[in-house]
Amino acid sequence: MSLTIKNGEIFGIVGYSGAGKSTLLRCLNLLERPTSGQVIIDGVDLTTLNKKELRQARLKIGMIFQHFHLVSSKTVFENVAFALKAAKKSKDEIEKRVNELLEMVGLSDKRDAYPSQLSGGQKQRVGIARALANEPTVLLCDEATSALDPSTTKSILALLKKINRELGITIVLITHEMEVVKDICDRIAVMQDGKVIELGTVYDIFTNPKEELTKSFINSVLQFDLPDHLLKKRTGTIVKIQFKGEMAEEAVVSDMLQTFKVKGNILHGKIEYIQDMPLGIFVMELTGEPDEIQRAIDYISLRTNGLEVIASAA
């Protein structure tokens, strides 16, 4: 595997269990030492460092875990302070920094609470504050939202995005949830059997996936399959149309219906916004004379980013 993650981006690593996501992430801070090759962060090859140098380098690589890993016998303040004590910071430095971090993650009022008194989302916020304690340049997130409900996941992703944008920290996030990738990542790598099989911006991957595994991940978010019983009732030609970018906001379908002697019945459709760019997908039934339907299909194909005939009465 050869992979370059850009400074300041949110980079997602996606794959099913056993694909190698967690192993790759743990290689980035040498919790797992690769059998060969280099791990270069901020220009330093971590594999060449001695134990003391590696401990120092790891201070700049924060890590957030799926199951939080908080010390149950310590307060929120003490859990966050732990990383600063390990870095041999003074008492005054620790007090100031922990208070800043708790305010950043919205937990100033939970300073003296214990993990057992916190919700899952609050525990993860403590984990994020702890990971940021030593002002890292890289933040590694190991399935950071998998143990959370959808609403809490949204709030944690919003917090991570805020941290990335305001502090400029590079975030590497592994997940099997494409919804997470769609909401937060700039680029993604899709992994299978220890290899990266597809790599690109989130928008490009969502609009033009090449690999079957990638397509199956995207289908879990953009699900447009119609039930068989619904397809059997249709008497016309059913097409799936994809609109990218500005095209998603234009009246192509409406123009087509006015230009040709066909009727259109939209069966399914939505516009998603990925990296603030629209992606529209519509499934519709076209009825009319076969020649007119074909002309309408050709018209749409030329003016959109993809048309697939799902079923045809002919």
Side-chain angles (χ1 to χ4, degrees), residues 138-151:
V138 178
L139 190 58
L140 308 179
C141 303
D142 188 0
E143 299 275 11
T145 59
S146 294
L148 306 175
D149 62 75
S151 175

Side-chain angles (χ1 to χ4, degrees), residues 201-215:
T201 68
V202 173
Y203 194 82
D204 287 345
I205 294 290
F206 265 81
T207 56
N208 191 27
K210 299 288 193 298
E211 301 292 331
E212 288 304 315
L213 178 64
T214 312
K215 291 175 183 176

